[in-house]
PDB file of all heavy atoms in Angstrom:
ATOM      1  N   GLY A   1      89.637  89.706  95.178  1.00 87.00           N
ATOM      2  CA  GLY A   1      90.052  88.293  95.104  1.00 87.00           C
ATOM      3  C   GLY A   1      91.481  88.061  95.543  1.00 87.00           C
ATOM      4  O   GLY A   1      91.821  87.040  96.158  1.00 87.00           O
ATOM      5  N   ASP A   2      92.352  89.056  95.281  1.00 88.00           N
ATOM      6  CA  ASP A   2      93.781  88.916  95.584  1.00 88.00           C
ATOM      7  C   ASP A   2      94.046  88.880  97.108  1.00 88.00           C
ATOM      8  O   ASP A   2      94.969  88.164  97.533  1.00 88.00           O
ATOM      9  CB  ASP A   2      94.572  90.066  94.946  1.00 88.00           C
ATOM     10  CG  ASP A   2      94.758  89.853  93.440  1.00 88.00           C
ATOM     11  OD1 ASP A   2      94.526  88.726  92.974  1.00 88.00           O
ATOM     12  OD2 ASP A   2      95.092  90.845  92.750  1.00 88.00           O
ATOM     13  N   VAL A   3      93.214  89.609  97.830  1.00 84.00           N
ATOM     14  CA  VAL A   3      93.462  89.670  99.293  1.00 84.00           C
ATOM     15  C   VAL A   3      92.807  88.538 100.057  1.00 84.00           C
ATOM     16  O   VAL A   3      93.116  88.308 101.247  1.00 84.00           O
ATOM     17  CB  VAL A   3      93.046  91.008  99.878  1.00 84.00           C
ATOM     18  CG1 VAL A   3      93.824  92.146  99.229  1.00 84.00           C
ATOM     19  CG2 VAL A   3      91.542  91.199  99.704  1.00 84.00           C
ATOM     20  N   GLU A   4      91.888  87.808  99.378  1.00 82.00           N
ATOM     21  CA  GLU A   4      91.183  86.755 100.111  1.00 82.00           C
ATOM     22  C   GLU A   4      92.111  85.695 100.704  1.00 82.00           C
ATOM     23  O   GLU A   4      91.955  85.293 101.870  1.00 82.00           O
ATOM     24  CB  GLU A   4      90.155  86.096  99.169  1.00 82.00           C
ATOM     25  CG  GLU A   4      89.295  84.991  99.777  1.00 82.00           C
ATOM     26  CD  GLU A   4      88.417  85.535 100.908  1.00 82.00           C
ATOM     27  OE1 GLU A   4      88.031  86.702 100.826  1.00 82.00           O
ATOM     28  OE2 GLU A   4      88.059  84.775 101.811  1.00 82.00           O
ATOM     29  N   PRO A   5      93.124  85.170  99.959  1.00 83.00           N
ATOM     30  CA  PRO A   5      94.014  84.159 100.542  1.00 83.00           C
ATOM     31  C   PRO A   5      94.882  84.665 101.680  1.00 83.00           C
ATOM     32  O   PRO A   5      95.413  83.915 102.462  1.00 83.00           O
ATOM     33  CB  PRO A   5      94.890  83.720  99.340  1.00 83.00           C
ATOM     34  CG  PRO A   5      94.121  84.119  98.132  1.00 83.00           C
ATOM     35  CD  PRO A   5      93.403  85.369  98.509  1.00 83.00           C
ATOM     36  N   ALA A   6      95.054  86.005 101.702  1.00 80.00           N
ATOM     37  CA  ALA A   6      95.894  86.605 102.744  1.00 80.00           C
ATOM     38  C   ALA A   6      95.219  86.808 104.079  1.00 80.00           C
ATOM     39  O   ALA A   6      95.805  87.246 105.047  1.00 80.00           O
ATOM     40  CB  ALA A   6      96.476  87.933 102.250  1.00 80.00           C
ATOM     41  N   MET A   7      93.878  86.541 104.087  1.00 79.00           N
ATOM     42  CA  MET A   7      93.119  86.834 105.330  1.00 79.00           C
ATOM     43  C   MET A   7      93.418  85.776 106.388  1.00 79.00           C
ATOM     44  O   MET A   7      93.231  84.563 106.185  1.00 79.00           O
ATOM     45  CB  MET A   7      91.653  86.911 105.027  1.00 79.00           C
ATOM     46  CG  MET A   7      90.785  87.168 106.307  1.00 79.00           C
ATOM     47  SD  MET A   7      89.030  87.385 105.930  1.00 79.00           S
ATOM     48  CE  MET A   7      89.056  88.994 105.163  1.00 79.00           C
ATOM     49  N   ASN A   8      93.805  86.250 107.582  1.00 79.00           N
ATOM     50  CA  ASN A   8      93.963  85.408 108.777  1.00 79.00           C
ATOM     51  C   ASN A   8      93.691  86.334 109.965  1.00 79.00           C
ATOM     52  O   ASN A   8      93.427  87.537 109.792  1.00 79.00           O
ATOM     53  CB  ASN A   8      95.351  84.713 108.830  1.00 79.00           C
ATOM     54  CG  ASN A   8      96.479  85.672 108.750  1.00 79.00           C
ATOM     55  OD1 ASN A   8      96.481  86.729 109.433  1.00 79.00           O
ATOM     56  ND2 ASN A   8      97.462  85.392 107.857  1.00 79.00           N
ATOM     57  N   ARG A   9      93.820  85.803 111.139  1.00 76.00           N
ATOM     58  CA  ARG A   9      93.463  86.628 112.317  1.00 76.00           C
ATOM     59  C   ARG A   9      94.332  87.822 112.508  1.00 76.00           C
ATOM     60  O   ARG A   9      93.936  88.869 112.957  1.00 76.00           O
ATOM     61  CB  ARG A   9      93.555  85.727 113.567  1.00 76.00           C
ATOM     62  CG  ARG A   9      92.856  86.388 114.775  1.00 76.00           C
ATOM     63  CD  ARG A   9      92.565  85.401 115.879  1.00 76.00           C
ATOM     64  NE  ARG A   9      91.793  86.001 116.911  1.00 76.00           N
ATOM     65  CZ  ARG A   9      90.481  86.145 116.918  1.00 76.00           C
ATOM     66  NH1 ARG A   9      89.777  85.707 115.861  1.00 76.00           N
ATOM     67  NH2 ARG A   9      89.819  86.683 117.913  1.00 76.00           N
ATOM     68  N   SER A  10      95.551  87.764 112.008  1.00 78.00           N
ATOM     69  CA  SER A  10      96.492  88.900 112.180  1.00 78.00           C
ATOM     70  C   SER A  10      96.341  89.949 111.051  1.00 78.00           C
ATOM     71  O   SER A  10      96.770  91.090 111.226  1.00 78.00           O
ATOM     72  CB  SER A  10      97.905  88.419 112.260  1.00 78.00           C
ATOM     73  OG  SER A  10      98.270  87.774 111.030  1.00 78.00           O
ATOM     74  N   THR A  11      95.756  89.566 109.921  1.00 83.00           N
ATOM     75  CA  THR A  11      95.703  90.459 108.790  1.00 83.00           C
ATOM     76  C   THR A  11      94.277  90.879 108.444  1.00 83.00           C
ATOM     77  O   THR A  11      94.068  91.704 107.511  1.00 83.00           O
ATOM     78  CB  THR A  11      96.302  89.818 107.530  1.00 83.00           C
ATOM     79  OG1 THR A  11      95.530  88.645 107.168  1.00 83.00           O
ATOM     80  CG2 THR A  11      97.737  89.445 107.758  1.00 83.00           C
ATOM     81  N   THR A  12      93.272  90.437 109.168  1.00 82.00           N
ATOM     82  CA  THR A  12      91.855  90.708 108.851  1.00 82.00           C
ATOM     83  C   THR A  12      91.575  92.204 108.800  1.00 82.00           C
ATOM     84  O   THR A  12      90.891  92.705 107.870  1.00 82.00           O
ATOM     85  CB  THR A  12      90.928  90.008 109.823  1.00 82.00           C
ATOM     86  OG1 THR A  12      91.116  88.592 109.749  1.00 82.00           O
ATOM     87  CG2 THR A  12      89.488  90.390 109.532  1.00 82.00           C
ATOM     88  N   GLY A  13      92.036  92.966 109.738  1.00 83.00           N
ATOM     89  CA  GLY A  13      91.790  94.381 109.789  1.00 83.00           C
ATOM     90  C   GLY A  13      92.327  95.056 108.559  1.00 83.00           C
ATOM     91  O   GLY A  13      91.698  95.970 107.967  1.00 83.00           O
ATOM     92  N   HIS A  14      93.578  94.667 108.115  1.00 86.00           N
ATOM     93  CA  HIS A  14      94.146  95.253 106.969  1.00 86.00           C
ATOM     94  C   HIS A  14      93.411  94.863 105.697  1.00 86.00           C
ATOM     95  O   HIS A  14      93.179  95.694 104.799  1.00 86.00           O
ATOM     96  CB  HIS A  14      95.598  94.804 106.868  1.00 86.00           C
ATOM     97  CG  HIS A  14      96.397  95.568 105.831  1.00 86.00           C
ATOM     98  ND1 HIS A  14      97.700  95.235 105.562  1.00 86.00           N
ATOM     99  CD2 HIS A  14      96.066  96.565 105.057  1.00 86.00           C
ATOM    100  CE1 HIS A  14      98.165  96.084 104.626  1.00 86.00           C
ATOM    101  NE2 HIS A  14      97.194  96.911 104.285  1.00 86.00           N
ATOM    102  N   VAL A  15      92.971  93.607 105.609  1.00 88.00           N
ATOM    103  CA  VAL A  15      92.150  93.200 104.474  1.00 88.00           C
ATOM    104  C   VAL A  15      90.828  93.957 104.372  1.00 88.00           C
ATOM    105  O   VAL A  15      90.456  94.403 103.241  1.00 88.00           O
ATOM    106  CB  VAL A  15      91.857  91.664 104.559  1.00 88.00           C
ATOM    107  CG1 VAL A  15      90.834  91.270 103.496  1.00 88.00           C
ATOM    108  CG2 VAL A  15      93.150  90.884 104.363  1.00 88.00           C
ATOM    109  N   PHE A  16      90.153  94.145 105.470  1.00 88.00           N
ATOM    110  CA  PHE A  16      88.949  94.908 105.500  1.00 88.00           C
ATOM    111  C   PHE A  16      89.138  96.362 104.959  1.00 88.00           C
ATOM    112  O   PHE A  16      88.335  96.895 104.199  1.00 88.00           O
ATOM    113  CB  PHE A  16      88.320  94.950 106.895  1.00 88.00           C
ATOM    114  CG  PHE A  16      87.685  93.666 107.316  1.00 88.00           C
ATOM    115  CD1 PHE A  16      87.269  93.459 108.663  1.00 88.00           C
ATOM    116  CD2 PHE A  16      87.438  92.681 106.404  1.00 88.00           C
ATOM    117  CE1 PHE A  16      86.676  92.325 109.029  1.00 88.00           C
ATOM    118  CE2 PHE A  16      86.793  91.468 106.795  1.00 88.00           C
ATOM    119  CZ  PHE A  16      86.409  91.290 108.101  1.00 88.00           C
ATOM    120  N   ASP A  17      90.229  96.969 105.430  1.00 89.00           N
ATOM    121  CA  ASP A  17      90.525  98.339 105.023  1.00 89.00           C
ATOM    122  C   ASP A  17      90.843  98.414 103.547  1.00 89.00           C
ATOM    123  O   ASP A  17      90.436  99.365 102.861  1.00 89.00           O
ATOM    124  CB  ASP A  17      91.669  98.895 105.857  1.00 89.00           C
ATOM    125  CG  ASP A  17      91.995 100.351 105.496  1.00 89.00           C
ATOM    126  OD1 ASP A  17      91.128 101.200 105.766  1.00 89.00           O
ATOM    127  OD2 ASP A  17      93.072 100.595 105.000  1.00 89.00           O
ATOM    128  N   LEU A  18      91.585  97.465 103.012  1.00 91.00           N
ATOM    129  CA  LEU A  18      91.923  97.421 101.640  1.00 91.00           C
ATOM    130  C   LEU A  18      90.678  97.230 100.760  1.00 91.00           C
ATOM    131  O   LEU A  18      90.505  97.907  99.729  1.00 91.00           O
ATOM    132  CB  LEU A  18      92.929  96.300 101.333  1.00 91.00           C
ATOM    133  CG  LEU A  18      93.559  96.253  99.937  1.00 91.00           C
ATOM    134  CD1 LEU A  18      94.366  97.523  99.726  1.00 91.00           C
ATOM    135  CD2 LEU A  18      94.468  95.062  99.783  1.00 91.00           C
ATOM    136  N   ARG A  19      89.765  96.381 101.207  1.00 91.00           N
ATOM    137  CA  ARG A  19      88.538  96.249 100.483  1.00 91.00           C
ATOM    138  C   ARG A  19      87.654  97.521 100.498  1.00 91.00           C
ATOM    139  O   ARG A  19      87.011  97.858  99.524  1.00 91.00           O
ATOM    140  CB  ARG A  19      87.751  95.014 101.060  1.00 91.00           C
ATOM    141  CG  ARG A  19      88.346  93.713 100.611  1.00 91.00           C
ATOM    142  CD  ARG A  19      87.613  92.535 101.258  1.00 91.00           C
ATOM    143  NE  ARG A  19      87.995  91.277 100.607  1.00 91.00           N
ATOM    144  CZ  ARG A  19      87.658  90.078 101.140  1.00 91.00           C
ATOM    145  NH1 ARG A  19      86.967  89.958 102.239  1.00 91.00           N
ATOM    146  NH2 ARG A  19      88.064  88.964 100.481  1.00 91.00           N
ATOM    147  N   ARG A  20      87.669  98.179 101.642  1.00 92.00           N
ATOM    148  CA  ARG A  20      86.922  99.421 101.765  1.00 92.00           C
ATOM    149  C   ARG A  20      87.404 100.438 100.717  1.00 92.00           C
ATOM    150  O   ARG A  20      86.659 101.033 100.044  1.00 92.00           O
ATOM    151  CB  ARG A  20      87.089 100.018 103.180  1.00 92.00           C
ATOM    152  CG  ARG A  20      86.444 101.390 103.349  1.00 92.00           C
ATOM    153  CD  ARG A  20      86.908 102.022 104.652  1.00 92.00           C
ATOM    154  NE  ARG A  20      88.334 102.298 104.688  1.00 92.00           N
ATOM    155  CZ  ARG A  20      88.909 103.326 104.127  1.00 92.00           C
ATOM    156  NH1 ARG A  20      88.207 104.197 103.442  1.00 92.00           N
ATOM    157  NH2 ARG A  20      90.230 103.447 104.201  1.00 92.00           N
ATOM    158  N   ARG A  21      88.740 100.537 100.600  1.00 93.00           N
ATOM    159  CA  ARG A  21      89.281 101.482  99.639  1.00 93.00           C
ATOM    160  C   ARG A  21      89.015 101.078  98.182  1.00 93.00           C
ATOM    161  O   ARG A  21      88.812 101.912  97.314  1.00 93.00           O
ATOM    162  CB  ARG A  21      90.783 101.651  99.867  1.00 93.00           C
ATOM    163  CG  ARG A  21      91.114 102.473 101.106  1.00 93.00           C
ATOM    164  CD  ARG A  21      92.573 102.697 101.291  1.00 93.00           C
ATOM    165  NE  ARG A  21      93.242 101.467 101.791  1.00 93.00           N
ATOM    166  CZ  ARG A  21      94.449 101.085 101.481  1.00 93.00           C
ATOM    167  NH1 ARG A  21      95.179 101.802 100.642  1.00 93.00           N
ATOM    168  NH2 ARG A  21      94.975 100.001 102.042  1.00 93.00           N
ATOM    169  N   ALA A  22      89.034  99.768  97.950  1.00 94.00           N
ATOM    170  CA  ALA A  22      88.745  99.274  96.610  1.00 94.00           C
ATOM    171  C   ALA A  22      87.300  99.572  96.199  1.00 94.00           C
ATOM    172  O   ALA A  22      87.030  99.977  95.093  1.00 94.00           O
ATOM    173  CB  ALA A  22      89.004  97.757  96.523  1.00 94.00           C
ATOM    174  N   TYR A  23      86.367  99.386  97.155  1.00 95.00           N
ATOM    175  CA  TYR A  23      84.932  99.672  96.886  1.00 95.00           C
ATOM    176  C   TYR A  23      84.692 101.154  96.716  1.00 95.00           C
ATOM    177  O   TYR A  23      83.880 101.554  95.881  1.00 95.00           O
ATOM    178  CB  TYR A  23      84.107  99.053  98.001  1.00 95.00           C
ATOM    179  CG  TYR A  23      83.804  97.581  97.858  1.00 95.00           C
ATOM    180  CD1 TYR A  23      84.853  96.702  97.698  1.00 95.00           C
ATOM    181  CD2 TYR A  23      82.536  97.085  97.855  1.00 95.00           C
ATOM    182  CE1 TYR A  23      84.632  95.329  97.591  1.00 95.00           C
ATOM    183  CE2 TYR A  23      82.268  95.724  97.694  1.00 95.00           C
ATOM    184  CZ  TYR A  23      83.335  94.872  97.578  1.00 95.00           C
ATOM    185  OH  TYR A  23      83.102  93.516  97.422  1.00 95.00           O
ATOM    186  N   ARG A  24      85.409 101.947  97.491  1.00 95.00           N
ATOM    187  CA  ARG A  24      85.274 103.381  97.293  1.00 95.00           C
ATOM    188  C   ARG A  24      85.791 103.830  95.947  1.00 95.00           C
ATOM    189  O   ARG A  24      85.212 104.705  95.305  1.00 95.00           O
ATOM    190  CB  ARG A  24      86.023 104.118  98.415  1.00 95.00           C
ATOM    191  CG  ARG A  24      85.729 105.600  98.510  1.00 95.00           C
ATOM    192  CD  ARG A  24      84.300 105.871  98.855  1.00 95.00           C
ATOM    193  NE  ARG A  24      84.044 105.548 100.238  1.00 95.00           N
ATOM    194  CZ  ARG A  24      82.835 105.502 100.812  1.00 95.00           C
ATOM    195  NH1 ARG A  24      81.765 105.734 100.038  1.00 95.00           N
ATOM    196  NH2 ARG A  24      82.671 105.246 102.075  1.00 95.00           N
ATOM    197  N   TYR A  25      86.877 103.168  95.481  1.00 95.00           N
ATOM    198  CA  TYR A  25      87.400 103.457  94.172  1.00 95.00           C
ATOM    199  C   TYR A  25      86.354 103.112  93.078  1.00 95.00           C
ATOM    200  O   TYR A  25      86.113 103.873  92.129  1.00 95.00           O
ATOM    201  CB  TYR A  25      88.676 102.617  93.914  1.00 95.00           C
ATOM    202  CG  TYR A  25      89.018 102.483  92.453  1.00 95.00           C
ATOM    203  CD1 TYR A  25      89.688 103.529  91.759  1.00 95.00           C
ATOM    204  CD2 TYR A  25      88.651 101.319  91.758  1.00 95.00           C
ATOM    205  CE1 TYR A  25      89.958 103.358  90.400  1.00 95.00           C
ATOM    206  CE2 TYR A  25      88.943 101.151  90.396  1.00 95.00           C
ATOM    207  CZ  TYR A  25      89.594 102.181  89.706  1.00 95.00           C
ATOM    208  OH  TYR A  25      89.829 102.056  88.398  1.00 95.00           O
ATOM    209  N   GLY A  26      85.701 101.952  93.249  1.00 95.00           N
ATOM    210  CA  GLY A  26      84.682 101.552  92.315  1.00 95.00           C
ATOM    211  C   GLY A  26      83.561 102.552  92.254  1.00 95.00           C
ATOM    212  O   GLY A  26      83.046 102.915  91.184  1.00 95.00           O
ATOM    213  N   GLN A  27      83.110 102.981  93.421  1.00 95.00           N
ATOM    214  CA  GLN A  27      81.968 103.967  93.479  1.00 95.00           C
ATOM    215  C   GLN A  27      82.363 105.263  92.758  1.00 95.00           C
ATOM    216  O   GLN A  27      81.635 105.801  91.946  1.00 95.00           O
ATOM    217  CB  GLN A  27      81.642 104.256  94.946  1.00 95.00           C
ATOM    218  CG  GLN A  27      80.496 105.272  95.105  1.00 95.00           C
ATOM    219  CD  GLN A  27      80.303 105.624  96.562  1.00 95.00           C
ATOM    220  OE1 GLN A  27      81.126 105.329  97.419  1.00 95.00           O
ATOM    221  NE2 GLN A  27      79.180 106.219  96.859  1.00 95.00           N
TER     222      GLN A  27
END
């Protein structure tokens, strides 16, 4: 939820990668 407001065309790749790592942490 914290990274959702930060998503724009220039930060989308970074947001995706951060979410990937968060989901891997959860797993």
